[in-house]
Amino acid sequence: MIYLDNAASTSIEPEVIELMCRLTGENFGNPSSIHEHGRRSKLLIENSRKRIATLLGVSSSEIIFTSGGTEANNLILWSCLLDLKIKHFVTSPLEHPAVLKTLENISKHFDLKISYVNVNSEGHIDIGHLDLLLKNSPPSVVSLMHANNEIGNLLPVKQVKKMCDKHNALFHSDTVQTIGKYQINLHSLGFDFAVASAHKFHGPKGAGFVYTKSGIEIKPFITGGVQERNIRAGTENVYGIAGMALALELAMKDIEKNQKYIAGLKQNLKEKIKQEIPEIEFYGDESKEGLYTIVNLRLPANERSEMLPHKLDIEGICVSGGSACSSGSSKPSHVISSLGLKPERPSLRISFSKYNKQDEVDKLIRALKKIYL
Ligand code: PLP
């Protein structure tokens, strides 16, 4: 199989598997227990927190472990409402459902205002519109993702931060697709909140974290015990947390080399596929550099474009459909629809990792040609 769906999930680093298997046998103690076994588990968690915090330029006390990106986004958004008394949520139509659906859900139960910043056909937010939305507004939080998981667009963080500061708004960014992909210092970027998910950077599923800037007091969203400094109850996922810390260290180790290598694969795919199927275009911004791991193909619409991810699966190639065509319907995804491009054309998301090879890109192009031409 050729795996080109790394924005959905990545393979786990062999060293991480080895560590987690060993810990599963050795470290069964409950981290809240006061005895030796408990203390060992607690130490593992705290060491992992320190290592993750150091890699991201923040302090340990600013990291809260969660079950992943979805829970992390939920924790932040609910806390903004309930603990920080935020009445206005500014987001975009391109966000992940972990943000959009959570806001929709909150708005069913509480009186709050949700504003959606305009986006253009290339998937960039309108900073002028953000300025307008924040003007004379009640206490607000801006929730905009660092990199889009379907089209790979990167947020102009400095400009958004400037607007947040100008209007005294909090800044939350869903950094699930960028943590482990860039050298990131969460303090310098100016986020008040950020989130991560280990399975996006060759770590285990079911482990992630929230970064909350020090000085911002939030209360538990999941209640029960006093784990995670009484912000996230529940016995910690000790092996997942330790595996996540190692995965992040490994991801950061050769990050520049890997970035250059993956960006090369992306560029080759774009150039070669254009030669073979000239009608192909790309969703997202082509002129500026987007996330180097994602290419979203805007394919010519014809009868052969139906069920494309399934057809590629039969050819032994794993990718994602950016439109629900993949599930048999012709309705495009909320991200592709929000770009407002006409006529609508099928989308195919290819997402790379350092484990992909050029010959896999060539096989993908050959398979697409076979299906299309
Ligand atoms: N946010 C973004 C941008 C994502 O791509 C994903 C996963 O696809 C999530 C949040 C959810 O993360 P998790 O799978 O850890 O719940």
Side-chain angles (χ1 to χ4, degrees):
M1 292 299 287
I2 295 175
Y3 189 76
L4 292 167
D5 199 16
N6 292 279
S9 200
T10 51
S11 62
I12 308 184
E13 290 284 5
E15 279 177 68
V16 172
I17 296 175
E18 193 271 324
L19 173 78
M20 288 177 64
C21 287
R22 186 164 55 74
L23 293 178
T24 309
E26 291 172 3
N27 275 77
F28 56 85
N30 188 321
S32 299
S33 300
I34 50 136
H35 48 63
E36 170 70 23
H37 272 294
R39 288 201 306 276
R40 262 198 256 157
S41 291
K42 182 80 178 165
L43 194 64
L44 259 179
I45 294 175
E46 293 316 317
N47 278 341
S48 304
R49 197 189 312 278
K50 178 85 207 135
R51 285 153 62 203
I52 289 172
T54 306
L55 287 168
L56 299 173
V58 301
S59 66
S60 296
S61 60
E62 294 173 309
I63 300 291
I64 317 281
F65 292 125
T66 65
S67 66
T70 300
E71 185 195 322
N73 280 318
N74 268 267
L75 171 60
I76 293 166
L77 297 169
W78 278 100
S79 298
C80 280
L81 174 90
L82 299 175
D83 309 326
L84 306 174
K85 311 297 174 210
I86 297 294
K87 291 279 180 233
H88 183 203
F89 291 75
V90 181
T91 189
S92 89
L94 305 180
E95 301 304 300
H96 190 273
V99 166
L100 291 180
K101 295 273 179 198
T102 304
L103 288 177
E104 254 175 53
N105 185 30
I106 296 177
S107 70
K108 279 186 205 148
H109 304 282
F110 294 89
D111 183 25
L112 57 96
K113 186 174 160 198
I114 305 175
S115 302
Y116 298 89
V117 65
N118 292 340
V119 294
N120 67 15
S121 60
E122 290 184 315
H124 287 299
I125 58 154
D126 179 343
I127 293 287
H129 188 225
L130 178 63
D131 191 12
L132 216 61
L133 291 172
L134 289 170
K135 209 173 260 173
N136 305 321
S137 116
S140 304
V141 62
V142 172
S143 179
L144 293 170
M145 67 206 309
H146 197 191
N148 186 277
N149 55 300
E150 286 194 32
I151 55 173
N153 278 35
L154 290 170
L155 188 73
V157 173
K158 272 193 191 149
Q159 293 179 48
V160 174
K161 170 70 181 154
K162 214 167 130 189
M163 283 303 143
C164 290
D165 288 347
K166 180 175 168 190
H167 299 288
N168 212 12
L170 289 168
F171 186 9
H172 163 227
S173 190
D174 178 341
T175 45
V176 162
Q177 291 290 343
T178 49
I179 285 186
K181 310 270 171 51
Y182 295 97
Q183 286 284 3
I184 286 181
N185 182 311
L186 294 171
H187 270 173
S188 326
L189 287 174
F191 300 134
D192 293 300
F193 306 102
V195 299
S197 176
H199 74 100
K200 307 292 181 177
F201 50 82
H202 301 286
K205 286 164 190 63
F209 60 86
V210 164
Y211 156 75
T212 306
K213 192 173 150 188
S214 72
I216 300 177
E217 299 281 324
I218 59 170
K219 298 202 177 84
F221 164 64
I222 293 175
T223 49
V226 293
Q227 292 91 350
E228 294 298 292
R229 299 194 315 285
N230 202 17
I231 293 173
R232 198 274 188 178
T235 302
E236 300 88 335
N237 174 4
V238 182
Y239 326 115
I241 290 169
M244 171 163 62
L246 177 59
L248 191 58
E249 275 171 356
L250 294 172
M252 302 312 272
K253 212 164 117 198
D254 292 317
I255 197 152
E256 267 141 39
K257 192 179 103 206
N258 291 334
Q259 197 170 326
K260 211 167 150 206
Y261 172 71
I262 298 168
L265 292 178
K266 173 172 168 170
Q267 193 54 32
N268 284 347
L269 168 63
K270 288 175 80 176
E271 282 169 14
K272 286 189 174 177
I273 208 159
K274 260 310 235 190
Q275 282 166 14
E276 301 292 342
I277 313 176
E279 306 95 305
I280 279 188
E281 292 172 359
F282 305 97
Y283 281 112
D285 186 353
E286 268 208 82
S287 63
K288 294 200 191 100
E289 278 194 13
L291 181 60
Y292 60 92
T293 51
I294 293 182
V295 183
N296 198 315
L297 305 179
R298 184 165 190 249
L299 295 150
N302 60 29
E303 67 289 350
R304 294 181 297 277
S305 62
E306 285 293 308
M307 313 285 284
L308 204 51
H310 297 280
K311 288 177 183 165
L312 285 170
D313 188 31
I314 291 164
E315 298 291 324
I317 301 175
C318 308
V319 298
S320 268
S323 63
C325 293
S326 52
S327 55
S329 138
S330 58
K331 201 168 157 273
S333 80
H334 73 283
V335 173
I336 300 299
S337 300
S338 300
L339 303 177
L341 288 166
K342 297 278 177 243
E344 279 168 359
R345 282 164 49 172
S347 138
L348 200 67
R349 182 188 69 185
I350 316 298
S351 50
F352 298 106
S353 81
K354 63 181 177 181
Y355 291 116
N356 289 120
K357 302 270 182 299
Q358 183 56 47
D359 72 309
E360 295 178 324
V361 173
D362 296 338
K363 281 183 190 145
L364 168 72
I365 295 172
R366 278 203 295 279
L368 275 172
K369 265 179 76 180
K370 186 173 144 191
I371 293 167
Y372 259 95
L373 304 177

